[in-house]
Amino acid sequence: MAFESPGEDFVPSSLSDAAPSALPPELRPPSAESAPAPPAASPPAPDTQLGTSAAHAVPPLGVRPRGRIGSPGRRAVSERRAARAAELLAVDETALPVRHARPRRITRRLVVVAGLATGAALLLGSAAMTAMMLPTLPSGAGDAALSLTAEPRHVDQLPVPQVEQSPPAADICTLPAVTAAIQGGDDAAAILAAGGGEAFRSAVVDGRAPCVNLGDSARIWTVVDKIRPTSPVDYRPSGLVLPDGVRNVEGGALRSDAASALASLVTGARTAGVGEIALESGFRSYQTQQETYERHVAERGDGADQVSARPGYSEHQLGLGADVVACAGACGTLDDLAASAQGQWIVEHAWEHGWIVRYVEGATPVTGYNPEPWHLRYIGTELAQAYHDGGWTSLEEFFGLDPAPAYLG
């Protein structure tokens, strides 16, 4: 008899179809009633051919007998197999049916369906909550509702914010350091307290420096020209000294601050290897300037005003003006300076020592004087740097003053 194991599609129709005898022996419960009694072994007949009376013992299960096919030992093995088959077909009515894998697949599918249903419920609930939060549109507002999804309105130009212009910087005269320096006569400290040369200049031009008087002849920022005389007209500065270490052609003196600055300029030129610079003329009193001007009138007539200042209108009277010449052993004339190495060095580096060339080419309509490369004016290092950096060519323009091409009377 041949036996086939049940396939995957086997579904028991009754308890008898799913007998526990299909289980392995170690998992099958014992049953006294259904277990067949082992067959009684009859003593084998003596082997007459061999003349012996020994019985042939049954070989243990799983051991192949040594006899030939069809021998009595083979029949014993077949009997044990038949008993084993009967034992496998025995039915245990108390055993439970074997569970198949298909119900597990069904369970997994049910779990997936339940998860999808839960997610759909959450989405529907979120949409409902959003709908409750949106405001209710009045009747006839269908077009307005549709406009919510329409493209935004095109804007040709973004609105420009209105920004108020910041007020100008405060009056520098409200700064205690500025007023204290001016009252103490320390012009350089006042300029530094105002923020430097450019800040000081800007404040003067913008009218934010009422404490700064450009007509005060005692200040380094004073402006003297053909319409702005010294104050008083016969002004004479104090503290005049001879510049130390500077060759002095006529024995001229300068204010102490200007004298120190000229000594620095001369030393700088010598160190740069351009040669010696000498002082031709420094301070001139009102009386001395009157004599000088009359001599030029005698020589030039009406043309004297383009080369010489009238008494009371000369920067030499301030002690801040210096006419310089170039020397190479002997000193040259004023007219020789421009073509010399010293004259070129002055144009490029005089500002570093607080000096500017007061009357330059092209500024005659403003200053009223022909170019004088030899005429230097001391205004201090801070203002001189601002003058140089700004590319200015006259003090009148530097401080925003009207031109002074001619005398008023």
Side-chain angles (χ1 to χ4, degrees):
M1 180 181 296
F3 295 93
E4 295 180 358
S5 59
E8 291 183 358
D9 297 333
F10 172 75
V11 178
S13 59
S14 64
L15 293 176
S16 62
D17 294 334
S21 59
L23 299 175
E26 61 272 12
L27 299 180
R28 185 172 60 248
S31 176
E33 297 177 358
S34 60
S42 58
D47 192 349
T48 56
Q49 295 179 358
L50 296 177
T52 62
S53 59
H56 293 280
V58 179
L61 182 63
V63 179
R64 183 185 298 271
R66 296 182 180 179
R68 295 190 305 271
I69 299 176
S71 64
R74 182 65 178 174
R75 288 194 297 270
V77 173
S78 298
E79 292 175 357
R80 285 194 298 272
R81 290 181 178 176
R84 179 63 175 168
E87 183 178 337
L88 292 176
L89 293 176
V91 178
D92 187 0
E93 298 296 337
T94 61
L96 296 176
V98 178
R99 299 180 64 181
H100 200 265
R102 180 171 295 177
R104 295 182 182 179
R105 296 179 181 176
I106 296 176
T107 301
R108 287 197 298 268
R109 293 175 181 175
L110 291 176
V111 171
V112 172
V113 173
L116 293 176
T118 302
L122 291 176
L123 291 176
L124 292 176
S126 176
M129 182 62 68
T130 303
M132 293 176 62
M133 295 176 63
L134 292 175
T136 303
L137 295 176
S139 58
D143 295 339
L146 291 176
S147 64
L148 293 176
T149 59
E151 295 183 358
R153 181 171 57 89
H154 176 69
V155 179
D156 295 333
Q157 183 177 0
L158 294 175
V160 179
Q162 299 294 331
V163 180
E164 296 182 359
Q165 185 177 3
S166 300
D171 185 347
I172 63 172
C173 296
T174 62
L175 302 175
V178 174
T179 56
I182 291 177
Q183 293 173 1
D186 192 345
D187 298 348
I191 295 171
L192 287 174
E198 179 57 29
F200 181 88
R201 184 202 72 83
S202 298
V204 172
V205 173
D206 296 341
R208 296 182 288 105
C211 59
V212 176
N213 181 9
L214 297 178
D216 187 349
S217 299
R219 304 295 179 178
I220 60 174
W221 52 70
T222 189
V223 179
V224 173
D225 53 28
K226 291 182 177 181
I227 63 175
R228 299 174 181 90
T230 60
S231 179
V233 70
D234 58 350
Y235 170 78
R236 182 185 180 91
S238 60
L240 293 172
V241 298
L242 297 177
D244 187 26
V246 178
R247 183 189 297 195
N248 200 318
V249 177
E250 294 184 359
L254 295 172
R255 267 178 39 170
S256 59
D257 50 355
S260 297
L262 184 62
S264 175
L265 182 147
V266 171
T267 301
R270 185 183 298 114
T271 302
V274 298
E276 183 183 7
I277 298 175
L279 176 62
E280 173 75 19
S281 176
F283 168 75
R284 299 177 196 159
S285 66
Y286 180 88
Q287 292 77 14
T288 302
Q289 186 63 33
Q290 185 174 13
E291 295 172 0
T292 302
Y293 177 73
E294 290 175 353
R295 186 175 66 249
H296 282 287
V297 170
E299 296 175 356
R300 303 173 185 268
D302 294 340
D305 285 339
Q306 279 71 48
V307 297
S308 180
R310 296 178 183 181
Y313 293 87
S314 174
E315 289 188 330
H316 285 282
Q317 195 171 326
L318 299 172
L320 299 175
D323 292 344
V324 296
V325 293
C327 303
C331 294
T333 65
L334 296 175
D335 293 331
D336 295 334
L337 179 68
S340 67
Q342 294 92 321
Q344 185 61 37
W345 187 90
I346 287 173
V347 172
E348 296 176 357
H349 300 283
W351 64 272
E352 298 172 358
H353 304 272
W355 295 89
I356 63 170
V357 178
R358 180 67 169 96
Y359 308 121
V360 299
E361 189 77 33
T364 301
V366 178
T367 64
Y369 293 100
N370 294 335
E372 295 184 1
W374 60 84
H375 182 88
L376 307 183
R377 163 68 193 274
Y378 178 71
I379 59 175
T381 54
E382 291 294 328
L383 289 179
Q385 180 176 354
Y387 190 94
H388 171 268
D389 293 347
W392 301 101
T393 57
S394 71
L395 280 180
E396 288 80 7
E397 295 171 319
F398 182 70
F399 284 120
L401 302 176
D402 294 334
Y407 296 101
L408 298 178

